[in-house]
Amino acid sequence: MEDALYLALNKALQMGSKYAEVRGHEGSHIYVSFENGRLREIETSSVKGIGVRVIYNDTWGFSSTSMLTNEFITKAVENAISIAKVSSYRSEKVRLREVKAFDAKAESVCKIDPFNVDLSEVIKLGIDANKSAMISDDIKNTLTSIGFQKSRRLFVSSDGAYVETAVVMSGLRHSSTAKYMDQLEVVGDSESKCAGYELIRSVDWLEFTGEISKLALLAVKAKHPPPGTYPVVLDSEMVGLLLHEAFGHASEADLVEKGDSVLRGRVGEKIASECVTIVDDGLVKGGYFVPFDDEGVRKARTVVVENGYLRTYISSRETAHRLNIEATGNARAEGYSYVPIVRQTNYYMEKGDYSLEELLEGIKYGFYVTSKGAGGGQVDTGIGSFTFRAGVSYLVENGEVKETVRGVAISGLILDTLKTVDAVGKDFKVITSVFGGCGKSGQTVRVGLGGPPIRVREMIVGGV
Amino acid sequence: MIEEVVDLVIKRGLELGASEVEAYCRVGKVTDVNFDEKVRFARSSYLSGLAIRLVYNNRVGFYSTHSLDKNEVLGAVEHTFKIAKVAPEDPRWRSLPKETSSTSVIGTYDKKTAELDEATIIDNAISIIQYAREVSDKVSVADGHFSTSVAEVAIKNSYGDLLKRRATRVGYYVSIKAEDAGKLATYATYDSARCIDRLIVEDRVKAGARRALDFLSTAKVEVGKYPIVIHGEVFSDILSVMFGRTLSADLIQEGRSPYIGKLNSEIADVRFTLIDDGTLEFGVDSKEFDDEGVRTRRNVLIEGGILRTYLYDTYRAGIENRESTGSAVKTALSSLPLPMPHNLILRPGDYEFDELLKEVRRGIYVERVIGEWLSNPISGLLNATVTHGYLIENGELGSPVSGFIISGSFFELIRSSIVGLEKVLHRSGSVYSPSTAVSKLSVSSK
């Protein structure tokens, strides 16, 4: 792989590129799924290829190939330069923030390579975990997946950088569908880490899936919340989702400098309550492992919001230059055939002092919103509106958790919501997932998100 | 080249001792441009991939790779065989499709689109910027993306002949912003097609620019229940969430669809007819054969409100001793095929759009949402956050409104809340729907 990268880099420079970088990516996945006590399917895959990005005539050009022969690598370089040439008359001149060119290797901790584990062990575990969720005739479906990912990324540039990153991930997710009269409801949960098979062996998955089924049986009988605006306590994972959607995308420098973010021009402004500090960090326990981004820039801990004040945006080298800020190491690409764009890594809120009980005490009538069965979120950064689907949640009255509610959709405005955070919890958690990630401009990347539980004074809650 | 790859896979798989082998191979090129007020970057890449299904004593292995290098292909077959040997025997396995065939579909491949040069593609992107600017000097492009792709797919299994299909696609997305007196509003518009001549750019971009100007100032919506007119593109997205998988035989057989046991029952209004058509002329997801080599066809899913059929691939059809509906779809190279619709079409009704507004008289018109894909197709709970809507007052569009959630039971909506369907079809992705007026949805707002 290294030879292919340097072949491409040298050709790009020989052909007249002012700057060139080549990314190599090789990886493997295994997903094994189980349904209603049986193996459903085994999906295994591998990827391998290189992506060439050049600055030619002050314009970007990009191409890629999975065929790592001299002929195809040369063609990829020619394609990249050709498209740079063609688009140069219509392009803004590319300027990049100066960064240190690292010579570095980093790998996530992996004690047991999941790709060396006998697949029959994985299959037995999956069937047992899936059957363990079949706790009642009212559980109509149990669906379990076990997933492993191994990924090695290399980066070389004409600045002299060589960066190699290796990540192994493991995880299990499960959903149970419960029935009550003519109603169906599905509840799910998952656990993933940048870790090897030692994660799988360390968790009691039979209990994990059984608990999900118990929750599904409760949820299917639960009412929907009445629609309106309420104070809400969010659990750690929902805080992560809130930050990711309600704030993270709007803080991405490419959206900011294009004028597609409500945070544009607001550095130094108070955009959240003083108990809110928000960080993007490539190396946080529980998150996805991003020591360097896909431009070879070290992903340092970036304090985006400090005690309510917007301090910076997260950026790539080009967007950092345009906004006159530091490059924060947030240029990421889904794989070798994609161009790196500004993405979050692990976005979280720093912890405070409140226990969960203390957070709930401050609610006269509102909700405690959890992530068990949550569905993700979406944001319109230009309008400033976000939404996400929470999991099984609870009505809270006078500080006490009362009945279960389901189907909770949350919405709000980016510039308003974080100003109404009035208490931040002390239990901190960041999660990631081997089963999905964040989507932007047709690319999906792994991310982490989380924080402590928090209380928000006003959130729009969708109900029936 | 792809013919040689699939033949090599079948040959090697059978040599190793597989009872059945299937090879899915694709090659293609994608060219795309990212822009705002100017081009930001452009990509031109050749893509390739191979997916193998191999069966050994009713044990199924699956593997995919991007490389078509001969040694990598042989390694891929051996890896797939290794997986199959470890997998438990599947007592429900019948076979891969024994009869593969294709049907004729108009409009899946366009030579002009396939041969578009890079300069023309970039000029198309630039034209979007110009169209937006022509509407007003308060308008500009915040973010845009224009792409074309051409692909060739070959499928062959150990029973049948090679099948090949070619496909072209072209499309764009643009977020247009309007700025005035310190206020900012954005509006996204998009289109996709199988050929460049059918892509609608100028009209849609200019309409989007006018909309962005409209939304510089919005009114408030109170919490309550309202009649809603849902734009066809939004209703297409809702249909995609609610019916994209719930009529698939795997969900029916495994107990996680709300439509289990409802064949030939009334599940929707008599005006609700939903069709899946993989042979639709110029259809966005039309194809001559599905992703396991079974010819596509028109499947009437719901007819006059009565549920008529589920969708099957060969495996799920075999469990019930019936035929595949030609619905095997790979959502990605690395995924096994699943039964899914190709082009989903809700039959249009009788109303002009203005007539729908007049029928409703007082309510809300919803034109753009986020988060509709977070609705729950199993419980039927529909949720979407409206980013661009209008009040309907005295049967006409009134003030723009934004930033509230609409919610309700989708089952109830299609069964008893439809007021009327527009006579025109709109499209989002590969789902086609008229604008639809419903009598009641809940609104949550600040």
PDB file of all heavy atoms in Angstrom, chain A residues 252-266:
ATOM      1  N   GLU A 252     -19.410  23.391  11.994  1.00  0.00           N
ATOM      2  CA  GLU A 252     -18.474  22.909  10.968  1.00  0.00           C
ATOM      3  C   GLU A 252     -18.085  24.072  10.065  1.00  0.00           C
ATOM      4  O   GLU A 252     -18.937  24.726   9.460  1.00  0.00           O
ATOM      5  CB  GLU A 252     -19.100  21.755  10.191  1.00  0.00           C
ATOM      6  CG  GLU A 252     -19.215  20.484  11.043  1.00  0.00           C
ATOM      7  CD  GLU A 252     -20.204  19.449  10.515  1.00  0.00           C
ATOM      8  OE1 GLU A 252     -20.822  19.703   9.455  1.00  0.00           O
ATOM      9  OE2 GLU A 252     -20.379  18.412  11.167  1.00  0.00           O
ATOM     10  N   ALA A 253     -16.775  24.307   9.938  1.00  0.00           N
ATOM     11  CA  ALA A 253     -16.288  25.541   9.308  1.00  0.00           C
ATOM     12  C   ALA A 253     -16.702  25.673   7.846  1.00  0.00           C
ATOM     13  O   ALA A 253     -16.823  26.784   7.335  1.00  0.00           O
ATOM     14  CB  ALA A 253     -14.775  25.623   9.434  1.00  0.00           C
ATOM     15  N   ASP A 254     -16.896  24.569   7.141  1.00  0.00           N
ATOM     16  CA  ASP A 254     -17.286  24.694   5.732  1.00  0.00           C
ATOM     17  C   ASP A 254     -18.693  25.287   5.633  1.00  0.00           C
ATOM     18  O   ASP A 254     -18.956  26.124   4.767  1.00  0.00           O
ATOM     19  CB  ASP A 254     -17.165  23.369   4.983  1.00  0.00           C
ATOM     20  CG  ASP A 254     -17.901  22.214   5.639  1.00  0.00           C
ATOM     21  OD1 ASP A 254     -18.355  22.364   6.803  1.00  0.00           O
ATOM     22  OD2 ASP A 254     -17.998  21.138   5.015  1.00  0.00           O
ATOM     23  N   LEU A 255     -19.589  24.883   6.507  1.00  0.00           N
ATOM     24  CA  LEU A 255     -20.934  25.455   6.501  1.00  0.00           C
ATOM     25  C   LEU A 255     -20.906  26.896   6.984  1.00  0.00           C
ATOM     26  O   LEU A 255     -21.650  27.752   6.490  1.00  0.00           O
ATOM     27  CB  LEU A 255     -21.873  24.617   7.380  1.00  0.00           C
ATOM     28  CG  LEU A 255     -22.041  23.154   6.947  1.00  0.00           C
ATOM     29  CD1 LEU A 255     -23.009  22.419   7.874  1.00  0.00           C
ATOM     30  CD2 LEU A 255     -22.548  23.069   5.523  1.00  0.00           C
ATOM     31  N   VAL A 256     -20.026  27.172   7.941  1.00  0.00           N
ATOM     32  CA  VAL A 256     -19.928  28.535   8.458  1.00  0.00           C
ATOM     33  C   VAL A 256     -19.454  29.486   7.365  1.00  0.00           C
ATOM     34  O   VAL A 256     -20.088  30.511   7.099  1.00  0.00           O
ATOM     35  CB  VAL A 256     -18.953  28.592   9.659  1.00  0.00           C
ATOM     36  CG1 VAL A 256     -18.689  30.027  10.077  1.00  0.00           C
ATOM     37  CG2 VAL A 256     -19.503  27.789  10.830  1.00  0.00           C
ATOM     38  N   GLU A 257     -18.354  29.114   6.704  1.00  0.00           N
ATOM     39  CA  GLU A 257     -17.797  30.099   5.762  1.00  0.00           C
ATOM     40  C   GLU A 257     -18.597  30.208   4.466  1.00  0.00           C
ATOM     41  O   GLU A 257     -18.481  31.177   3.745  1.00  0.00           O
ATOM     42  CB  GLU A 257     -16.297  29.850   5.518  1.00  0.00           C
ATOM     43  CG  GLU A 257     -15.915  28.488   5.022  1.00  0.00           C
ATOM     44  CD  GLU A 257     -15.724  28.433   3.521  1.00  0.00           C
ATOM     45  OE1 GLU A 257     -15.918  29.454   2.852  1.00  0.00           O
ATOM     46  OE2 GLU A 257     -15.384  27.350   3.023  1.00  0.00           O
ATOM     47  N   LYS A 258     -19.482  29.221   4.216  1.00  0.00           N
ATOM     48  CA  LYS A 258     -20.369  29.346   3.058  1.00  0.00           C
ATOM     49  C   LYS A 258     -21.618  30.148   3.410  1.00  0.00           C
ATOM     50  O   LYS A 258     -22.459  30.399   2.549  1.00  0.00           O
ATOM     51  CB  LYS A 258     -20.832  27.965   2.611  1.00  0.00           C
ATOM     52  CG  LYS A 258     -19.760  27.143   1.957  1.00  0.00           C
ATOM     53  CD  LYS A 258     -20.299  25.784   1.593  1.00  0.00           C
ATOM     54  CE  LYS A 258     -19.203  24.895   1.077  1.00  0.00           C
ATOM     55  NZ  LYS A 258     -19.718  23.679   0.456  1.00  0.00           N
ATOM     56  N   GLY A 259     -21.769  30.465   4.675  1.00  0.00           N
ATOM     57  CA  GLY A 259     -22.966  31.198   5.083  1.00  0.00           C
ATOM     58  C   GLY A 259     -24.166  30.304   5.281  1.00  0.00           C
ATOM     59  O   GLY A 259     -25.301  30.763   5.250  1.00  0.00           O
ATOM     60  N   ASP A 260     -23.924  29.014   5.490  1.00  0.00           N
ATOM     61  CA  ASP A 260     -25.019  28.058   5.675  1.00  0.00           C
ATOM     62  C   ASP A 260     -25.101  27.627   7.134  1.00  0.00           C
ATOM     63  O   ASP A 260     -25.503  26.506   7.433  1.00  0.00           O
ATOM     64  CB  ASP A 260     -24.795  26.837   4.768  1.00  0.00           C
ATOM     65  CG  ASP A 260     -26.089  26.074   4.514  1.00  0.00           C
ATOM     66  OD1 ASP A 260     -27.175  26.598   4.834  1.00  0.00           O
ATOM     67  OD2 ASP A 260     -26.020  24.936   4.010  1.00  0.00           O
ATOM     68  N   SER A 261     -24.686  28.485   8.042  1.00  0.00           N
ATOM     69  CA  SER A 261     -24.756  28.155   9.459  1.00  0.00           C
ATOM     70  C   SER A 261     -25.167  29.393  10.238  1.00  0.00           C
ATOM     71  O   SER A 261     -24.642  30.486  10.022  1.00  0.00           O
ATOM     72  CB  SER A 261     -23.397  27.675   9.972  1.00  0.00           C
ATOM     73  OG  SER A 261     -23.380  27.677  11.388  1.00  0.00           O
ATOM     74  N   VAL A 262     -26.077  29.200  11.192  1.00  0.00           N
ATOM     75  CA  VAL A 262     -26.509  30.316  12.037  1.00  0.00           C
ATOM     76  C   VAL A 262     -25.411  30.755  13.008  1.00  0.00           C
ATOM     77  O   VAL A 262     -25.568  31.744  13.697  1.00  0.00           O
ATOM     78  CB  VAL A 262     -27.800  29.968  12.816  1.00  0.00           C
ATOM     79  CG1 VAL A 262     -28.966  29.796  11.872  1.00  0.00           C
ATOM     80  CG2 VAL A 262     -27.619  28.742  13.669  1.00  0.00           C
ATOM     81  N   LEU A 263     -24.304  30.003  13.088  1.00  0.00           N
ATOM     82  CA  LEU A 263     -23.206  30.393  13.976  1.00  0.00           C
ATOM     83  C   LEU A 263     -22.193  31.311  13.289  1.00  0.00           C
ATOM     84  O   LEU A 263     -21.216  31.732  13.916  1.00  0.00           O
ATOM     85  CB  LEU A 263     -22.475  29.149  14.493  1.00  0.00           C
ATOM     86  CG  LEU A 263     -23.286  28.235  15.409  1.00  0.00           C
ATOM     87  CD1 LEU A 263     -22.443  27.059  15.871  1.00  0.00           C
ATOM     88  CD2 LEU A 263     -23.821  28.999  16.621  1.00  0.00           C
ATOM     89  N   ARG A 264     -22.428  31.614  12.051  1.00  0.00           N
ATOM     90  CA  ARG A 264     -21.474  32.454  11.328  1.00  0.00           C
ATOM     91  C   ARG A 264     -21.347  33.819  11.979  1.00  0.00           C
ATOM     92  O   ARG A 264     -22.348  34.445  12.322  1.00  0.00           O
ATOM     93  CB  ARG A 264     -21.943  32.631   9.893  1.00  0.00           C
ATOM     94  CG  ARG A 264     -20.956  33.428   9.056  1.00  0.00           C
ATOM     95  CD  ARG A 264     -21.456  33.587   7.668  1.00  0.00           C
ATOM     96  NE  ARG A 264     -20.412  34.195   6.850  1.00  0.00           N
ATOM     97  CZ  ARG A 264     -20.534  34.436   5.561  1.00  0.00           C
ATOM     98  NH1 ARG A 264     -21.641  34.096   4.935  1.00  0.00           N
ATOM     99  NH2 ARG A 264     -19.567  34.991   4.884  1.00  0.00           N
ATOM    100  N   GLY A 265     -20.100  34.271  12.176  1.00  0.00           N
ATOM    101  CA  GLY A 265     -19.853  35.606  12.719  1.00  0.00           C
ATOM    102  C   GLY A 265     -20.128  35.737  14.206  1.00  0.00           C
ATOM    103  O   GLY A 265     -20.185  36.844  14.733  1.00  0.00           O
ATOM    104  N   ARG A 266     -20.274  34.599  14.895  1.00  0.00           N
ATOM    105  CA  ARG A 266     -20.668  34.681  16.307  1.00  0.00           C
ATOM    106  C   ARG A 266     -19.558  34.262  17.273  1.00  0.00           C
ATOM    107  O   ARG A 266     -19.808  34.088  18.460  1.00  0.00           O
ATOM    108  CB  ARG A 266     -21.906  33.826  16.560  1.00  0.00           C
ATOM    109  CG  ARG A 266     -23.146  34.378  15.853  1.00  0.00           C
ATOM    110  CD  ARG A 266     -24.386  33.547  16.188  1.00  0.00           C
ATOM    111  NE  ARG A 266     -25.506  33.906  15.353  1.00  0.00           N
ATOM    112  CZ  ARG A 266     -26.420  34.818  15.666  1.00  0.00           C
ATOM    113  NH1 ARG A 266     -26.375  35.466  16.809  1.00  0.00           N
ATOM    114  NH2 ARG A 266     -27.409  35.075  14.834  1.00  0.00           N
TER     115      ARG A 266
END
